[in-house]
Amino acid sequence: MCGIVAYVGYRPALPVLLAGLRRLEYRGYDSAGVALVRPGWIERHRVAGPLDGLVRATRRVDASATTGIGHTRWATHGAPTVENAHPHIDCHGTWAVLHTGIIETHEALRARLRRRGHRFRSQTDTEVIAHLLEDAPSQDPPKAVAWATARLEGSFSLEIVSARDPGRVVAVRLGSPLVVGLGVGEQFIASDVPALLPFTRRVVYLEDAEQCEVTADGIRLERAGRRRRMRIETLRVGETEAERSGYPHFMLKEIHEQPEAVAAALQGRIDLARAQVRLTEKGYGRIDPRRVRRVVAIGCGTALHAALVAKRSIEGLARVPVDVVAASEFRYGEPVLGPGTVVLAISQSGETADTLAGVRLARASRRPVLAIVNVPGSALTREADAVLPMRAGLEIGVASTKAYTSQLVMALLLALDWGRQRGTLSPSAARALLKGLVSLPGALRRTLGLSGTIRRAAQRFAKGHHGNFMFVGRGYNFATAFEGALKLKEITYRHAEGYGAGEMKHGPLALVDARLPVVAVAVRDTVRAKIASNIEEIRARGGNLLVVGTEGDHALARRAGVFFGIPDLPEPLTPVVAVVPLQLFAYHLAVALGRDVDRPRNLAKSVTVE
Ligand code: AGP
């Protein structure tokens, strides 16, 4: 959560900070602020609300300062007001601090600092850091920061400047991502890569418990007081990946990027002639599928839904039992991870606190962790024993779309590979599925052609003032119903519930009447007849049906108020395409309702706090 940036170098810092924050707004947009280091003092500007207000508020600022830090906030402690906006300063305005994460011991620290005479101006946990720095025995920034952070507990990343040392920024990573961008005579720090793209492609990812000292001439990394050698990486991110490229929202752009994202996930990983999958990434070969007795799949939100689909694929194709657990429950449960258990962690950002905590629990139990993850250099890519990169490219829209379909494809490749190695999947069956995978980009492209029809349907529902939606699915598309409901909830703010279609008659059918839109995922698969019956049950009670089915299924189309047909696919592949009409429906409904699609209220793209 929260987007943080820093700059030190030869240019005016303010424009660099504002440009970086603009590209990090998807991480939080409750309030925003900057601190510019002047000789002997710190100039601070802060606003409540999104970044536009800060741009207006700093229009006439003297832009000569060449060191500064900036923040766009997702509030954890304290309402999104100006007083709680970052940066926070100490009593004398010597130190300025930005923070993303949570300081769990902030209340006790605040009380102790108050007793020492410090005056607090905000309700944030962050402000205690500024007053701690004021009390540090050495006011040399790197030493003071090390002293202060040793007294903090929680998960956080910090950027700190001192008026006593205008040409230096000190950063600390402990749980929330930080990446340093390396320039010539200038350096950049950000909580995520998009902020660096206009300035540099050479980066160093900070690791947990590291402190980084940045000046115009370079950076110095330390962990526990010992210097760490830098590992410089080059970003392979397209110039326009962090741009809307003519789309009105990142979410729509990323929905339409799914054919290319899926093609990238498949690139070089399919051997049709030998009916095999080639997965050669970090550590994957060390997990022998013939010795795997059980998989525990963990994730959050959309990634949890991907885990539900992965369960069906792995059990169906590789015959390995899979349990799916929300990472937020797994981390505090008492999971039984017996011999032969592999934990499958799924995450787009690779920084979700609950998922990382689950990974650490698995590793403490000495069970291997296999990760399906998108962001290169993320904590999950470093902490998992084996990594399957999704290659979906930057996903900036808070509502995850292309990452979800790429996660499903990675899970299918895993299930296929394990099925072939375990002998539970014949070469001919595998070849048919591989051919289906190769057809996915085209099937996605064809389904995206429904966007106009879906937009018109969504606009009708926007006028209908429907307060609730029900999404139902079965089998491989059981999770599709839950993912469709989540998409609609998180960007339209209308309630939506995903449900197993077979479960409707055990209670939820009581909700059905002409006012309740029911979205049914009923593609041509082994449970189509069953869900057709469920659709009849809903229809008989006047339910307002939208159906995602297979093109040419006229029998179902006749029963639906609205029918979206997707191409015919092998059953295990249908969730990859069936979700697209639901993504588009949620998107167009949100636009029709005037929602801020890329910055939905109360949310942030990467939940790095628990
Ligand atoms: C999905 O649309 C949401 N933005 C959210 O549920 C997200 O999937 C979840 O926070 C997990 O994020 P991750 O994949 O980066 O771990």
Side-chain angles (χ1 to χ4, degrees):
M1 334 284 275
C2 302
I4 61 178
V5 294
Y7 175 76
V8 55
Y10 60 85
R11 312 183 205 212
L14 182 61
V16 175
L17 298 175
L18 295 177
L21 290 177
R22 180 66 72 193
R23 288 164 168 261
L24 294 181
E25 273 197 291
Y26 61 92
R27 299 181 63 88
Y29 25 87
D30 295 337
S31 55
V34 291
L36 301 172
V37 186
R38 305 284 184 188
W41 65 288
I42 288 177
E43 181 179 359
R44 202 171 44 145
H45 297 276
R46 302 179 295 164
V47 296
L51 183 63
D52 297 336
L54 184 64
V55 172
R56 286 193 298 273
T58 54
R59 195 163 283 150
R60 304 201 189 302
V61 164
D62 159 21
S64 58
T66 58
T67 301
I69 55 179
H71 188 273
T72 180
R73 185 175 182 232
W74 185 83
T76 54
H77 291 73
T81 61
V82 178
E83 295 72 26
N84 290 332
H86 300 214
H88 290 284
I89 58 174
D90 64 303
C91 299
H92 304 293
T94 304
W95 294 95
V97 179
L98 293 183
H99 162 228
T100 173
I102 287 181
I103 308 295
E104 292 178 350
T105 51
H106 75 97
E107 284 169 341
L109 282 169
R110 178 184 281 255
R112 193 179 316 144
L113 288 160
R114 272 215 174 103
R115 286 195 294 272
R116 291 175 55 87
H118 290 274
R119 296 183 314 283
F120 281 80
R121 305 174 181 92
S122 79
Q123 294 84 39
T124 66
D125 51 347
T126 309
E127 193 182 348
V128 300
I129 304 167
H131 296 292
L132 262 181
L133 288 164
E134 192 181 350
D135 276 3
S138 164
Q139 290 294 292
D140 166 61
K143 290 178 182 163
V145 172
W147 181 87
T149 47
R151 285 155 178 76
L152 302 176
E153 285 178 40
S155 161
F156 51 84
S157 283
L158 308 175
E159 287 177 358
I160 293 165
V161 289
S162 165
R164 292 194 179 91
D165 195 342
R168 193 179 309 274
V169 177
V170 182
V172 175
R173 173 191 166 135
L174 189 63
S176 297
L178 271 186
V179 55
V180 181
L182 305 177
V184 177
E186 58 182 4
Q187 316 301 331
F188 310 81
I189 307 174
S191 37
D192 205 352
V193 154
L196 304 177
L197 291 179
F199 308 106
T200 180
R201 289 276 195 278
R202 297 172 63 243
V203 299
V204 174
Y205 292 98
L206 291 196
E207 304 204 359
D208 258 4
E210 269 187 346
Q211 178 169 305
C212 177
E213 187 185 338
V214 179
T215 63
D217 302 329
I219 75 172
R220 173 188 172 88
L221 294 178
E222 283 193 4
R223 175 184 289 170
R226 295 169 61 89
R227 188 149 191 186
R228 186 206 23 132
R229 286 177 57 77
M230 281 195 297
R231 193 177 71 205
I232 299 174
E233 302 189 35
T234 303
L235 294 174
R236 289 182 178 72
V237 179
E239 183 55 47
T240 62
E241 279 197 52
E243 308 288 347
R244 285 189 182 78
S245 305
Y247 285 92
H249 300 99
F250 280 110
M251 182 181 177
L252 188 61
K253 176 188 173 200
E254 289 151 10
I255 289 173
H256 284 271
E257 284 177 337
Q258 291 181 107
E260 291 74 26
V262 163
L266 295 170
Q267 188 69 36
R269 290 168 162 164
I270 286 180
D271 181 343
L272 269 180
R274 299 167 62 193
Q276 287 180 351
V277 170
R278 273 200 298 269
L279 294 171
T280 58
E281 280 84 3
K282 171 194 166 189
Y284 179 74
R286 286 203 294 269
I287 296 177
D288 180 350
R290 291 160 301 185
R291 300 165 64 89
V292 176
R293 293 189 203 155
R294 176 173 172 249
V295 170
V296 177
I298 64 172
C300 299
T302 286
L304 177 59
H305 300 153
L308 286 169
V309 181
K311 170 186 172 67
R312 285 295 275 114
S313 308
I314 295 169
E315 289 184 342
L317 305 179
R319 308 306 293 150
V320 176
V322 180
D323 293 316
V324 176
V325 186
S328 53
E329 290 301 315
F330 180 80
R331 67 178 294 186
Y332 292 116
E334 295 172 79
V336 179
L337 304 177
T341 299
V342 170
V343 171
L344 174 63
I346 301 178
S347 174
Q348 188 285 129
S349 63
E351 298 290 354
T352 298
D354 287 325
T355 307
L356 290 175
V359 165
R360 290 158 190 161
L361 176 65
R363 304 207 61 200
S365 308
R366 307 178 68 75
R367 296 303 171 218
V369 174
L370 172 56
I372 292 176
V373 56
N374 192 37
V375 176
S378 60
L380 184 54
T381 61
R382 295 197 299 271
E383 297 188 30
D385 299 288
V387 176
L388 293 178
M390 294 155 48
R391 307 176 185 162
L394 284 182
E395 184 178 74
I396 292 175
V398 168
S400 187
T401 50
K402 66 176 182 176
Y404 178 67
T405 46
S406 297
Q407 285 161 359
L408 301 189
V409 167
M410 294 312 300
L412 278 163
L413 289 170
L414 172 67
L416 272 159
D417 184 41
W418 283 11
R420 294 284 289 118
Q421 291 194 53
R422 293 166 56 90
T424 56
L425 191 64
S426 69
S428 59
R431 186 170 290 110
L433 289 169
L434 290 171
K435 284 180 179 171
L437 282 172
V438 170
S439 76
L440 277 179
L444 286 162
R445 177 65 53 211
R446 182 180 174 87
T447 302
L448 287 166
L450 295 171
S451 192
T453 309
I454 295 169
R455 183 179 71 249
R456 288 187 289 277
Q459 287 165 345
R460 287 200 302 276
F461 277 92
K463 294 192 185 89
H465 304 296
H466 298 281
N468 293 291
F469 287 77
M470 178 70 80
F471 287 71
V472 296
R474 294 186 82 130
Y476 272 94
N477 286 292
F478 171 81
T480 309
F482 290 79
E483 176 59 11
L486 174 61
K487 288 287 101 41
L488 191 130
K489 272 185 278 208
E490 66 179 330
I491 59 174
T492 70
Y493 315 153
R494 293 283 170 85
H495 179 69
E497 187 171 5
Y499 227 89
E503 277 295 290
M504 287 295 286
K505 53 187 172 296
H506 299 289
L509 206 58
L511 292 170
V512 173
D513 60 24
R515 294 188 309 271
L516 180 73
V518 179
V519 183
V521 183
V523 296
R524 192 173 284 136
D525 59 14
T526 50
V527 291
R528 180 201 169 281
K530 303 299 175 192
I531 198 160
S533 305
N534 303 140
I535 286 172
E536 276 311 309
E537 292 156 9
I538 292 163
R539 198 164 163 264
R541 289 155 181 83
N544 185 352
L545 271 163
L546 294 85
V547 174
V548 175
T550 302
E551 288 170 345
D553 192 338
H554 304 300
L556 268 188
R558 280 195 297 275
R559 291 178 172 79
V562 181
F563 182 82
F564 305 133
I566 68 170
D568 200 0
L569 289 162
E571 180 170 12
L573 279 54
T574 55
V576 178
V577 181
V579 73
V580 173
L582 307 186
Q583 294 168 343
L584 288 167
F585 183 75
Y587 171 79
H588 288 301
L589 182 56
V591 169
L593 293 172
R595 306 296 192 225
D596 189 341
V597 173
D598 282 335
R599 301 181 305 186
R601 68 185 182 191
N602 308 336
L603 301 180
K605 180 62 181 173
S606 175
V607 185
T608 58
V609 294
E610 55 176 294

